Each structure stands twice: as C-alpha cells, then as structure tokens.
Amino acid sequence: MAPTSALVLSYVKDLYKDGLSGEYMQHMDLSAVQTLVTAVNKVTSHLGYVIQLRKQMVRYLVSQFISRYPRQQICIIAAGLDPLGLQLAADYPLHISGIYEVDQAWMNEKATIYHKIAPQMPLPVTIQTDITNTIQLKRQLRDAGYDAAQPTLIVFEGIIHYITEEQFRDIMQCFSTKNARNTVIMDYMLTEEDIPSPAFRQVGKELQALAEKALQITFHLYSRKKILNMLELLQAEVNSIYDMQAAEHRMVGHNERYHQPGDGLMEITAFHI
C-alpha cells in the first residue's frame, strides 16, 4: 500500500465506518504504515485532526456544489485508496452522471474491491495513470467515458504539495472551460511565513521534515497570495477559502484547537474554472 495513501486512511478510517465504505475499509490492511503514524504522533496530534478536518470539508464543499447543475461528473485526482468516490456514488446517485478516480497506482486493486462489495451499483471508474502526463490523462479520461463538455466537480485533495506549480497549472488546464462550469476543491500547505502562530510554525517544520525524510520527497508550500496568483493566471473564479479556524468552526460548530485566523498548517479553497 502506498505510504501516503495508507497514512491518510489511518487517520480518516473512523469517517468510513458505515455502509459500503465500512465494507471497503474491511479490505484495507494499514499495519505497514503504523510505524510512520507512531512517529508522526510523537511530533504532534494535530496531523490526524487536520486530515480529518480536511476530509470533512471536502465532503461539505461537495454537498455545496453538487446541485450547481442538475447532474455533474466527479473527477477525483490522485484518489489513492480512499473510498470517497464510492461514498459519493452512494450519497448522490441522482446528481452524478459519472465518477472517475485517477491515480498512478492501486486503481485496479481498488476496482476489484468495489465490484466485490457492490456489484450491482454504478461504481466509480478507476483510471491508473500518471496525472502529470496530461496528454495521457485526457486521453484515458475520454476513453473511460468522461465528457469534457459536461460540468465536472474536481476533487484535488492532498496533491498540490507533491507537484510543481507548472504541473499544477497543466493539470488544471485539462479541466478549464470558457464559462467556468467546472468546480475544483483543493487544499494546500502553508509556508512558514503564512502561519502567524509560532507554535503551529514549529509543528509544521517538524512534520515537513519527518514526512520528507520518510517519503523521500520535497513538499511544495504556498502562501494564500501565491495560490490566488496561480488561480488568477488560470482565469479561475475563487468561490471560497477556509483556513483551519474557519473550517473547524464550520464542521464542529465552535473552535477547539484553532482560535485565531491563520492557525493550522493548511487552507482549503473552492474555485470555478
């Protein structure tokens, strides 16, 4: 199991206890990533909370935009092993014309589990491809039934910190439309300078160092200003931006951990493209 996907699932598994998602999770063996989970938890308990909050906000934002058109496609980029597509298929059968989950690994195994637990249900189409190879990405989406002329809700969760700005722009241009009918839900990790709290800045530095060493990658961090500049170049229409304080208040009803604007390590935005 891919370490990043398994790490995320370890923190959000409690969100997938019921129905088909609960059945799906019974097929997941997360034991290989427990050493990394333990190491992260020694640094801070915040990461699991942030990932759960991010996942809840993605669901919330999907619910806000799912009725923007009578029927929409859903495209989940770098879907990993998270059963979000299965959950959305069960929750919004009348609003969704097709769900496409894309990633460079584990898509065939994921499809096998889907068909095993829900053989009679219109299931997400899983596509195994390198999302940064945009020519191939567009071709495989088309061949799988994706219709670029129809409105699409794109979930771009937990991805931008693994790719370059140029790769992000190229992927977004695959979904760009003249009338901004497509909607993207995306999170991004903040730069140290964009986090006002010294305590959260220190946590962010420690988590970044731990993750980069464990995964042998370099994280790309962004300020809100930088993200807005990138979206402006794409001629995107920004709908909303939530810092962790706003996200927690929206999901919990009050603030338990994030009491000041800018508290936390990431932000979540929704924009039309």
Side-chain angles (χ1 to χ4, degrees), residues 54-249:
R54 183 183 77 185
K55 181 62 63 180
Q56 291 171 327
M57 277 300 299
V58 167
R59 289 184 181 184
Y60 167 76
L61 290 170
V62 167
S63 73
Q64 298 301 295
F65 295 114
I66 197 67
S67 299
R68 188 174 181 223
Y69 297 95
R71 284 174 69 82
Q72 290 189 75
Q73 301 169 115
I74 305 286
C75 191
I76 305 174
I77 305 296
L81 285 166
D82 191 299
L84 177 62
L86 183 66
Q87 186 72 55
L88 296 179
D91 288 348
Y92 304 104
L94 300 181
H95 292 85
I96 297 174
S97 59
I99 301 178
Y100 304 90
E101 295 191 343
V102 184
D103 211 330
Q104 64 182 352
W106 306 103
M107 291 297 96
N108 294 331
E109 292 85 348
K110 193 174 188 181
T112 298
I113 299 173
Y114 279 177
H115 286 282
K116 182 175 182 179
I117 64 178
Q120 307 303 320
M121 182 178 174
L123 294 169
V125 177
T126 56
I127 302 171
Q128 189 153 310
T129 193
D130 179 358
I131 64 170
T132 63
N133 184 340
T134 53
I135 295 176
Q136 179 175 289
L137 172 64
K138 291 172 70 174
R139 183 179 67 248
Q140 289 186 253
L141 277 168
R142 180 201 63 204
D143 292 347
Y146 175 80
D147 184 355
Q150 299 302 314
T152 304
L153 187 53
I154 298 118
V155 177
F156 205 75
E157 179 188 1
I159 310 165
I160 194 171
H161 38 270
Y162 296 117
I163 60 177
T164 66
E165 181 180 341
E166 181 180 5
Q167 289 170 330
F168 166 73
R169 183 174 62 249
D170 290 345
I171 294 169
M172 288 298 105
Q173 286 175 341
C174 292
F175 300 98
S176 180
T177 65
K178 291 182 179 180
N179 62 352
R181 64 174 172 268
N182 292 341
T183 301
V184 180
I185 299 169
M186 180 184 80
D187 65 288
Y188 52 94
M189 295 177 63
L190 292 167
T191 62
E192 182 178 347
E193 295 76 14
D194 237 33
I195 302 173
S197 164
F200 281 112
R201 283 201 300 270
Q202 183 60 32
V203 168
K205 289 170 63 176
E206 292 177 358
L207 282 175
Q208 181 182 355
L210 177 64
E212 288 183 341
K213 180 178 179 181
L215 304 175
Q216 296 296 299
I217 59 172
T218 299
F219 279 111
H220 299 273
L221 309 181
Y222 295 91
S223 66
R224 179 184 292 198
K225 182 179 179 180
K226 178 64 173 177
I227 289 292
L228 290 175
N229 287 341
M230 291 162 61
L231 297 182
E232 184 178 4
L233 290 173
L234 288 166
Q235 297 183 315
E237 300 174 5
V238 177
N239 178 277
S240 54
I241 298 179
Y242 291 85
D243 62 10
M244 290 294 96
Q245 182 202 33
E248 182 181 50
H249 195 274

